[in-house]
Amino acid sequence: MSSIDRSQSAGGTRTYEVRTYGCQMNVHDSERLSGLLEDAGYVRAPEGSDGDADVVVFNTCAVRENADNKLYGNLGHLAPKKASRPGMQIAVGGCLAQKDRDTIVKRAPWVDVVFGTHNIGKLPVLLERARVQEEAQVEIAESLEAFPSTLPTRRESAYAAWVSISVGCNNTCTFCIVPALRGKEKDRRPGDILAEIEALVAEGVSEITLLGQNVNAYGSDIGDREAFSKLLRACGTIDGLERVRFTSPHPRDFTDDVIAAMAETPNVMPQLHMPLQSGSDPVLKAMRRSYRQERYLGIIEKVRAAIPHAAISTDIIVGFPGETEEDFEQTLHVVREARFAQAFTFQYSKRPGTPAAEMDGQIPKKVVQERYERLVALQEEISWEENKKQVGRTLELMVAEGEGRKDGTTHRLSGRAPDSRLVHFTKPEQEVRPGDVVTVEITYAAPHHLLAEGAVLGVRRTRAGDAWEKRNAEKAARPAGVLLGLPKVGVPEPLPVATGGCAVD
């Protein structure tokens, strides 16, 4: 009996909830997991259900030292709920499941399914098998069974989408365990990527974000060193695709042909998120990062020369083992020189299974905290100064859904500028929908957002806005969780706090 038949025979459609931790790859995988479950007849549980769904899926991350404690705490919270609700199921997938496959069911015997990063497509089958056999199913594949983009997906946004171009990573950064869990880089064929983008645009998507663990290494698996720049240029030929972004590149693979493609392809946005991790050459060497300060700043200089208004952001780790005060000062130097629009800063924490976790020279927490606070203060100052340069500029914003937490009380709407800066603007008299484009003049700058307090200068209704309107009408008319069309990819956060390039979260 299929999962649909069994749920219906039980008196109703089964609901699901997916809880996601970690980088963009995990977010993207969760969209696939949701699509798979809906394709099998499940419907999404209402927001705030807090474990009341019939199936709760944890898509886990393994890069934090306390990732397992967080998982088992949440599993423990669900144990009494599961005991009181016959038929409820719990599944654990993602990087921590790949790493601790033999531990999860021992520590949490009420878990029904454990699956890894390479076989997410098996989730509905494993849930059904666990229900029929009435015992936990643990299935971990050691290599990729099917590229995730071949799986059904529940996409949250009608106007913006992730498009995965590769999975896995060939780097050996000493602080990162993700390559060991997601495997070596595997590239999709360019034709398959472009076909997915064209299908998304046909549905109304106007912005895509190319996604890879090390996105600009694309081509290493298919033997073309310029494959990524060619892909960017090919995106520029797709009619109706207004904005192209990508995350996260590695400085080692950031070549001049990529900079030229960014500058010369009109729909590739003037934005670059490029992890620094440290400004110190000795620390970069200890991290096994195959570039040095001079190389990194040289890339920044070339990007700024080719794309003067580019907003550049980064990731930085503070307190890596062996980091001296002089090393940290070099990081501050790079921050001052690069003048990042935004930096995602992290205090180093041990990742079990990584070489860095066993290194001598672990930095005391008090020292790490003090350095972290100095770095954050410097970057806040620079972010504010860089944002002030935007005041007086006229920008086109893509209207966003749910970006501004206070929009309801301020009677404003929010959107993203081409360089991905968040802008709150005065709500115009004319109706605007997420995906539509408005033209505004920036009047005020804060460290993390801009304001356009005057009247909107122009509104352009778009096919993306039409798609958003259509989707919401369909949601009102259909049961929750119905799949809407062909490839479904999720809402890309323009600069996610958890980055995919090196899985530092």
Side-chain angles (χ1 to χ4, degrees):
M1 186 180 294
S2 72
S3 59
I4 299 176
D5 294 335
R6 292 181 66 86
S7 64
Q8 288 176 343
S9 66
T13 305
R14 289 172 61 80
T15 59
Y16 77 89
E17 175 189 354
V18 178
R19 300 185 185 183
T20 308
Y21 308 95
C23 66
Q24 301 101 314
M25 294 304 248
N26 276 30
V27 174
H28 194 42
D29 285 348
S30 287
E31 296 162 354
R32 305 293 181 191
L33 294 171
S34 296
L36 284 160
L37 290 170
E38 294 187 8
D39 209 34
Y42 296 82
V43 298
R44 191 177 188 176
E47 292 291 332
S49 59
D50 191 27
D52 289 333
D54 296 305
V55 172
V56 179
V57 183
F58 292 87
N59 189 9
T60 63
C61 170
V63 301
R64 282 279 186 185
E65 185 177 17
N66 65 349
D68 55 346
N69 293 332
K70 187 172 185 178
L71 170 65
Y72 294 117
N74 285 321
L75 291 175
H77 175 72
L78 288 184
K81 290 191 176 187
K82 188 173 190 296
S84 65
R85 293 182 56 203
M88 179 182 177
Q89 292 183 293
I90 299 172
V92 179
C95 290
L96 193 63
Q98 188 83 18
K99 173 176 170 286
D100 294 343
R101 64 194 74 182
D102 299 323
T103 306
I104 293 172
V105 174
K106 291 179 182 178
R107 291 187 59 177
W110 55 92
V111 169
D112 299 275
V113 171
V114 179
F115 62 101
T117 59
H118 299 308
N119 63 332
I120 63 175
K122 290 287 188 66
L123 176 59
V125 172
L126 294 173
L127 287 169
E128 183 65 9
R129 191 187 302 164
R131 186 159 35 244
V132 171
Q133 298 182 5
E134 297 184 344
E135 65 179 11
Q137 303 295 309
V138 179
E139 188 169 311
I140 306 291
E142 296 301 331
S143 60
L144 191 67
E145 293 186 346
F147 205 92
S149 291
T150 64
L151 302 173
T153 306
R154 186 190 198 281
R155 184 162 54 85
E156 299 293 341
S157 172
Y159 59 90
W162 297 113
V163 174
S164 185
I165 68 171
S166 64
V167 294
C169 180
N170 294 335
N171 292 320
T172 58
C173 301
T174 55
F175 55 78
C176 183
I177 197 171
V178 169
L181 302 179
R182 289 193 176 268
K184 294 293 185 180
E185 180 176 325
K186 183 68 176 176
D187 294 336
R188 292 177 71 190
R189 290 186 174 275
D192 294 340
I193 297 168
L194 295 171
E196 180 179 350
I197 296 172
E198 289 170 351
L200 289 164
V201 171
E203 288 186 353
V205 167
S206 59
E207 176 177 320
I208 61 104
T209 299
L210 303 175
L211 179 64
Q213 209 76 46
N214 183 12
V215 69
N216 62 326
Y218 176 75
S220 63
D221 180 52
I222 57 179
D224 185 352
R225 293 176 59 87
E226 295 188 352
F228 186 63
S229 61
K230 292 175 183 176
L231 182 62
L232 290 178
R233 292 183 186 277
C235 287
T237 68
I238 298 176
D239 187 39
L241 180 59
E242 297 195 17
R243 295 186 172 192
V244 178
R245 306 185 192 277
F246 58 89
T247 193
S248 291
H250 192 294
R252 182 195 67 184
D253 302 299
F254 210 89
T255 49
D256 290 349
D257 61 297
V258 172
I259 297 173
M262 291 176 65
E264 296 166 10
T265 310
N267 62 357
V268 175
M269 294 293 96
Q271 173 210 348
L272 173 63
H273 182 76
M274 188 166 63
L276 168 66
Q277 308 304 6
S278 174
S280 162
D281 288 355
V283 173
L284 288 170
K285 182 178 180 180
M287 289 178 167
R288 288 192 202 145
R289 302 286 287 180
S290 51
Y291 56 89
R292 298 297 179 258
Q293 180 188 121
E294 183 178 5
R295 159 75 172 155
Y296 187 93
L297 287 175
I299 294 171
I300 300 296
E301 184 178 359
K302 288 180 179 180
V303 170
R304 290 244 162 84
I307 315 167
H309 288 299
I312 301 174
S313 57
T314 196
D315 301 325
I316 301 173
I317 299 173
V318 177
F320 188 80
E323 180 188 75
T324 65
E325 179 63 22
E326 182 181 354
D327 292 325
F328 178 66
E329 287 292 341
Q330 287 301 305
T331 295
L332 297 182
H333 169 71
V334 174
V335 170
R336 293 187 186 100
E337 290 293 311
R339 300 199 62 81
F340 299 114
Q342 192 174 14
F344 299 105
T345 52
F346 308 93
Q347 298 185 40
Y348 172 78
S349 62
K350 291 183 180 180
R351 276 78 168 172
T354 63
E358 306 301 323
M359 286 182 176
D360 294 332
Q362 302 287 329
I363 310 298
K365 171 66 175 176
K366 183 178 179 180
V367 174
V368 177
Q369 181 68 33
E370 188 271 338
R371 290 176 183 171
Y372 175 80
E373 291 173 0
R374 284 159 58 195
L375 174 60
V376 169
L378 174 62
Q379 182 55 50
E380 287 278 302
E381 178 184 333
I382 292 173
S383 294
W384 198 0
E385 290 173 355
E386 291 301 303
N387 273 1
K388 287 176 182 177
K389 296 177 182 177
Q390 305 300 308
V391 174
R393 292 189 66 195
T394 299
L395 300 176
E396 278 197 338
L397 313 179
M398 182 174 289
V399 181
E401 183 175 27
E403 289 271 26
R405 296 178 182 177
K406 298 180 181 179
D407 283 351
T409 56
T410 59
H411 302 291
R412 293 186 179 120
L413 298 177
S414 297
R416 291 279 173 178
D419 64 9
S420 196
R421 284 183 166 92
L422 178 63
V423 182
H424 306 299
F425 62 94
T426 303
K427 187 175 182 179
E429 292 184 6
Q430 181 180 349
E431 179 192 18
V432 291
R433 307 156 302 176
D436 286 340
V437 174
V438 299
T439 304
V440 301
E441 181 179 336
I442 304 303
T443 58
Y444 176 81
H448 303 293
H449 69 268
L450 303 170
L451 291 182
E453 298 164 298
V456 168
L457 303 178
V459 175
R460 176 164 60 86
R461 292 173 70 85
T462 65
R463 291 173 57 254
D466 295 341
W468 179 89
E469 191 169 30
K470 178 183 177 183
R471 170 173 289 194
N472 279 267
E474 289 175 341
K475 283 182 179 178
R478 299 182 183 184
V482 173
L483 286 171
L484 302 171
L486 280 168
K488 310 290 186 178
V489 196
V491 184
E493 290 293 337
L495 292 174
V497 172
T499 65
C502 298
V504 179
D505 98 350

